[in-house]
Amino acid sequence: MRRRSSGSTEEDETDQAAVLEPEVAEDDGRKNSFTTSKFDVTRHSDTLDRRKVEKALLATPLTLHTWTPEPDSYGGAALTSRPLGPTPQPAPTEKMSDIQAPRQSRTHSPWRSSLLTITITALSIGFIYAIVRSVITRQLDPKGCNMSYMSPMYAKLSDFDTEHTRFASKYSLYLYREDGIDQDTRVKGVPILFITGNAGSYKQVRPLAAEAARYFHGHVQQDSAALQTGIRNLDFFTADFNEDITAFHGQTLLDQAEYLNEAVAYILSLYHEPRRSKRDAGLPDPTSVILIGHSMGGIVARTMLVMPNYQANSINTIITMSAPHARPPVSFDAEIVSTYRRINDYWREAYSQRWANNNPLWHVTLISIAGGGLDTIVPSDYTSLSSLVPETHGFTVYTSSIPNVWTGADHLSILWCDQLRKPIIRSLLEVVDVRRPGQTKPRADRMKIFKRWYLTGMEGVAEKTLTQTEPTTLLTLEDNTNSILAAGERLTVRGFGYSGKAKAYLLPIPPQGPPGETKFTLLSDQVLDAPGGEGKLEVLFCSVFPLQAGHSSTLFSMSMDLSGTSSGSTRLACKNTASDVILLPASTRASRNAFENTQPFSYLQYQVEDLAEHQFVAIIDKSNIPTSGWAIAEFSDKSDSVVTADVGLWRLLLMGLHVKLSASRPMMTELNIPALHSSLLAYKLNVSPQVCGAEAELFTPLLRQFISEPYESKYFVNIKDANVNFHATAPFLPPPLQVHSANAGISLQLWSDPSCNTSIDMKLQVDVFGSLGKLYMRYRTVLAAFPMLVVALVLRVFITFAEGLDLCLRSSLPVLLLALSLIAVSVASIPDQAKPASRGLFHWTANNNTTAMDFTKNDVLLGSQDPFFWFLIPVFGLASAGVCVLVNYATLAIIYVLCTFYSLLTARPAWIRNDNRRRAASPAFMSVSPRRRIITTGILLFMVATFIPYQFAYMVACIVQIATCTRALRFARETRLGANYNFYNYTHSILVLMLWILPINIPVLVVWVHNLAVHWLTPFSSHHNVLSVMPFILLVETLTGGKMIPRVSTSFCYVTNIIFFFLALYAAIYGVTYAYQLHHLVNLATAWLVALHFSASNLSLSGLTQMLEGGEGEGNVKKRP
C-alpha cells in the first residue's frame, strides 16, 4: 500500500475518486466550482456529503466521468478521468451500499497500533512512572525548617499615586510594622524593599521584617557600641503586585521593575520630609535602598538597574532567595527570554570592564541564596551567579551550608524558615551604616560580612581574622611545665577541670613547608571562649614575648597567669581564635539530622603558613571543677588527610567506589572525586561504623559533602548511609566568568574519633533509580519540545496518527535521534578553546567579551557538554514518542465521547422511515456564506490587533478544531467511506499538532486573564501580531467547511516534508531554550497548508469582491462534509 504526499493511500484515492468525485458537466463544458455551481459538487475530495453524491449521480446525463488512480512520478497515484459508456443508473441507496461494503473492510481504525508502538509506549510509561516514583520517594532531603511567628501591620502609602507612577492603579506600596514592637509609621531606619516573586503576596515580607524589628528592639537597641557603628532599625517596604505572574511574561517583569524604580525614588523622598521621618537630624539623607527579592522578585531587582528610570547608585545591596538568575524557568514567552538576555549581558559587560569608573555596578553586591533539592518549583542550579558576577561582588550559597541552618528549604519555606531569617537579618544589620549616604558599609566590608554569616568558613575564599589582629592576651606559664606536647603528637582532652585549676596544653607549630601541605585542626564539643569569657575552653596562638625592662604588660587587654607559685615563668603573647571558629552540627549516637536543636561542635582549621609568626598553639582548660567535654587538636599533612579518587563515571556506574581509611588517619579526612561534577546523577554512600565502645567514643562520624562552586555543603551526622546529590554542572547553564584551577568535583570530609584507632570503609555507588528524579528537575521543559519532534515527523503524511507514528518509529525517528546523539558527542568532544564564540540562535551576542567566553554554548540539544550523557537524547526521544501515543489516544477518546453526544443530540425520531433517516439527518458540515466567514475572520483578527492577545485567538482555534474533528468523525462513522476517514485523520492530525503548541500559549493567556481580573486593560504590545495566528485561523476556518487538503503532484510536495523536518530538527536542538519559537514555526507550517488549500480554489479578486458585496445570498447555504 503506497501513500501519497497528502497522506491518503492509493486505495483510499480509488474509493474517493469512484464514489465522491463525480464531475457534473454543463452545457458549455465548464466545471462548476463551489462558488458558482448550482449543484454543490466540486472537483476536490472535500465534497463528502452522501446526499450530494446521490443528487449528483441522479442528475448526471448519459456520460459519467469518474476518477481512477494512475501512478505519477513521485510514487503516488495521479488522479485522471476517463469516460464510461452509458450505463443504467441504479438507485442511490443500492449504489451506496455496493460502494460501502468493500470500503468498510479496508478502513483502518485510528485505535489500532503495532507491536512496536505498543512496546515503545509501555517503555515510556514505565520510564515516566520511574521518574515520578523517584521524585516522590528517592534522594529526598530532610525538611528541618522551624515555623516563624509574627504580628504584622501594613501601612499603605497612598501618596504614591498616579503623580509618581503610571502603575498606581495596578500596584500598591506598603510599610511594614510589627504590632506590639514598633507601631510608628514614620521612617527612622535604613530602607529595605522586599520584592515578591511569581504570583506572590506582598505579605510574604512579614517573617523577615518581624525578625528585624524584634531583634533590633530586643538586643541591638540596648547595645550602645553597636549604635555608634551606625546600626539602626530596618524599615521594610513591600510592593503589592496583585499576585502578578512574572515567570511567564517578560513585559510584566519590566513593568514591575519600572514601578519599583519609581517606588525607590519615593521611599528615599520620605526620609527628606520632617513629618514623615524620625531620623536624627545629624545623619545624612539616604541615597540607597537595600533590595530583597524572592524567586522572580530577585530577577526584577536585577532588572531595575537596567531600566531607563533607574536612579544611579540608588541600589547597592541585593539579596535574593530561590531566584533563577542563570536562565528563565520556562522559555514560552519571547519577551522573558530577551529580557533575561538583556539583563545578563548588561551585568556581564559591566563586570568585564577593566576600570571601576567604567563599571556602573562596581558598588553593588549580590547574594543568591538557594534552597537546594527541596525546591521543586525552580531548579536550584538556576540560582547560580558564577556566569554573572565575580567573587568580589557576589556569590551563591545554599541554605544547607549556612551555619546553624544546615537544612534545605523549599520554594516557599525559604521565606519563613526561622533558622534562615536570623542570619539574614543579623547580616543586614551588620552591613548597614547610617553615617554614610549609601546607608551601608563599603563593598569590600559588606562582602566580608556576608561571607562570614553565610559560608561555612572552610571555603578557599573564607578570610581568617587571625592574621589581621594584634595579640590581646598575655599568657604566663611556669618554666618547667610538662604540658608541651612533642612535635606531631595529637592532643586528646577527655573532661575539663580535673586538675582543680586552669591548665594549658601547648602544641609546637611545625616549620613551614610548601603551601597547603600542613594544617592545624581542632574539634571540641565546647564553645571556644572569646577574650574575657567564662567558658571551659579557650584556644590561643602564641609567640614568645620576652618582658624586659621598659616593657609593660599593660599592652595586652587580657592577662592569664598559669605559673602558680613557680619562681620562673615563660610569657607568651597570644591571639584569641574565637572569631575564626567554624560551627559544625553535633554528631552523637542520638543524632539524626544536622538541623537538630543541639549545641554545635566548635572547629578550627588553619594552614601552617597562616601561623608563621607563632610558635605554639595553647589550648586552655579554664574549668576549676570537673565537667564533661572533650577536645582534639593535631597537625596533619595533606598526604595523610586528602585522598583523591581518580575514577571515571563509567567505572563508578559499573563497579562503584570503595575507599578504606586506615586506623592511623587524621581526625579529618577528605575524599575528593573529580569525576563527580554533574548534578544529573545521585549516589548512595555507606560508611562503616567505627569500632569504639560507647564509653570511650567521643563523637560519631560526621560527614560534610561540599562543592566549591556554588557554595553548597551538606552535613550528615552519625553517618551510616547517606544520599549524595548536589548542584554543580547542570544542563543549559552558561559557563562561569572565572575558570577555577582548583580540583573540580565533589569532596567528602569525614570527621571521626581518632582515639578509636579503627579503620573505616567508605562505599559509593550510583543510585540509578534516584538519579531519575534529578532528570525531572533539570529537563522538565523537554516535554514541551521533544514531543514536537515526534509530531512533526509523523505529520509528514496524513494517515491515522497511529499509523504515521508506527512508520516514524521504523524509519525517520531512529535515524534522526542517532544523528542528534552523534552531534552531541562531537560537540562535547571539541575543546572549549577550539569552539568559536556563538552568537546565539539569531546572532545574539552574549556580551562584549564573546571572543573569550561563549555564554550560549549550552543552549543546544540537552544543554550538556558532557559526552557521558549522549544516551539521554534517544531516551527522551523514545519517551516522547510514548507520550505522543498517550496524548493521541486521549484526544481520540475525547473526540469519540463528544461525537457520541453530538450524535445523540442530532438524532431523529424513530418513526422516520429507515430509508429516509439518512436524508433527514442534518448535514455534518454547513458552510455559511463566504461573506460571513470573511467578516467573522476579519473581526477576530482585528480584536487580536487591538485588544486580545493572539494566544486567546489560538485557544479559540483549538476549540473550533475540536468541534470540526467531532463532526468529521460522526460523518465518517455514518458513511464509512475512506475519503471521509481521510478527512477525519487529517483534521485529527492538525488537532494533535495544535494541542502540543497550546501549552506554550497558555501562560501568556493566563497573564492576560489575570490583568483583566485586576482591571488592568493596557494591551501587551508584544502579543498583538496578527501574523502569529492568522494561518491557524484560516486553516481552522477552512476545515470547518469540510475541505480536504488537495493532492500536490509537483515538486511542491517536497516543501511540506522540508518544513516539518525543519520543525522537528529545531524542536530537538533549540526547543528547550527557545520554546516560544515552536509556535511560530508551526505557524509557518500552517501557512503552507493554507496555501495548499487556497491553491486549489477558484477564488479571484472579482469573486472576493462579489462575496463582500453579498452577491451570494445568505439563502444559498451549501452543505459541506
Side-chain angles (χ1 to χ4, degrees), residues 156 160 167-168 170-174 202 238-242 259:
K156 185 176 182 180
F160 188 50
F167 297 100
K170 185 180 182 182
Y171 303 145
S172 305
L173 188 65
Y174 290 85
Y202 70 97
T238 178
D240 181 11
F241 292 130
N242 283 310
Y259 173 82

Side-chain angles (χ1 to χ4, degrees), residues 793-992:
L793 292 178
V794 171
L795 291 188
R796 291 182 301 160
V797 287
F798 291 118
I799 52 181
T800 64
F801 194 89
E803 286 182 291
L805 183 58
D806 179 67
L807 182 64
C808 176
L809 290 174
R810 297 177 185 275
S811 55
S812 56
L813 184 60
V815 174
L816 183 57
L817 293 179
L818 178 60
L820 293 174
S821 302
L822 294 177
I823 293 175
V825 173
S826 61
V827 171
S829 302
I830 302 176
D832 288 340
Q833 293 80 2
K835 296 178 184 178
S838 172
R839 298 179 63 86
L841 179 62
F842 298 111
H843 301 285
W844 293 343
T845 56
N847 62 2
N848 287 347
N849 199 24
T850 52
T851 55
M853 184 67 67
D854 179 15
F855 293 102
T856 62
K857 66 180 184 180
N858 293 332
D859 288 350
V860 299
L861 293 174
L862 295 181
S864 176
Q865 294 290 313
D866 192 344
F868 176 83
F869 297 102
W870 66 268
F871 61 88
L872 289 180
I873 292 179
V875 167
F876 284 136
L878 296 180
S880 298
V883 173
C884 289
V885 173
L886 296 178
V887 172
N888 174 56
Y889 281 134
T891 307
L892 280 174
I894 294 174
I895 296 300
Y896 269 68
V897 171
L898 294 177
C899 179
T900 302
F901 280 105
Y902 181 58
S903 299
L904 293 176
L905 292 176
T906 58
R908 294 304 180 187
W911 49 267
I912 299 179
R913 290 190 319 175
N914 192 41
D915 58 340
N916 291 330
R917 291 184 62 184
R918 190 176 293 113
R919 300 178 184 272
S922 61
F925 294 93
M926 296 295 295
S927 177
V928 299
S929 68
R931 178 186 180 187
R932 179 182 298 179
R933 296 170 65 179
I934 293 176
I935 293 176
T936 303
T937 304
I939 293 175
L940 182 59
L941 294 178
F942 175 77
M943 294 180 65
V944 170
T946 56
F947 178 66
I948 65 174
Y950 70 78
Q951 289 83 0
F952 180 82
Y954 182 83
M955 185 187 67
V956 173
C958 290
I959 297 175
V960 173
Q961 185 65 14
I962 292 176
T964 301
C965 287
T966 302
R967 291 184 294 167
L969 176 62
R970 180 210 173 188
F971 194 67
R973 292 170 67 178
E974 286 184 353
T975 62
R976 298 184 180 276
L977 296 177
N980 293 357
Y981 277 105
N982 280 347
F983 179 72
Y984 167 70
N985 293 335
Y986 174 48
T987 58
H988 177 81
S989 299
I990 297 298
L991 175 61
V992 172

Side-chain angles (χ1 to χ4, degrees), residues 386-428:
S386 61
S387 64
L388 302 169
V389 179
E391 292 181 348
T392 55
H393 290 75
F395 57 85
T396 303
V397 64
Y398 284 71
T399 57
S400 57
S401 304
I402 301 177
N404 286 319
V405 179
W406 295 324
T407 180
D410 61 46
H411 199 66
L412 293 179
S413 66
I414 198 172
L415 285 170
W416 53 258
C417 185
D418 187 56
Q419 301 100 305
L420 178 60
R421 66 172 183 163
K422 292 178 179 178
I424 292 178
I425 294 303
R426 283 156 178 74
S427 64
L428 287 175

Side-chain angles (χ1 to χ4, degrees), residues 121-135 769 772 776 783 878-880 882-884 886:
T121 305
L123 293 176
S124 177
I125 294 175
F127 180 68
I128 295 175
Y129 174 79
I131 289 178
V132 174
R133 186 72 176 171
S134 175
V135 171
F769 187 47
L772 295 179
Y776 161 76
L783 293 179
L878 296 180
S880 298
V883 173
C884 289
L886 296 178

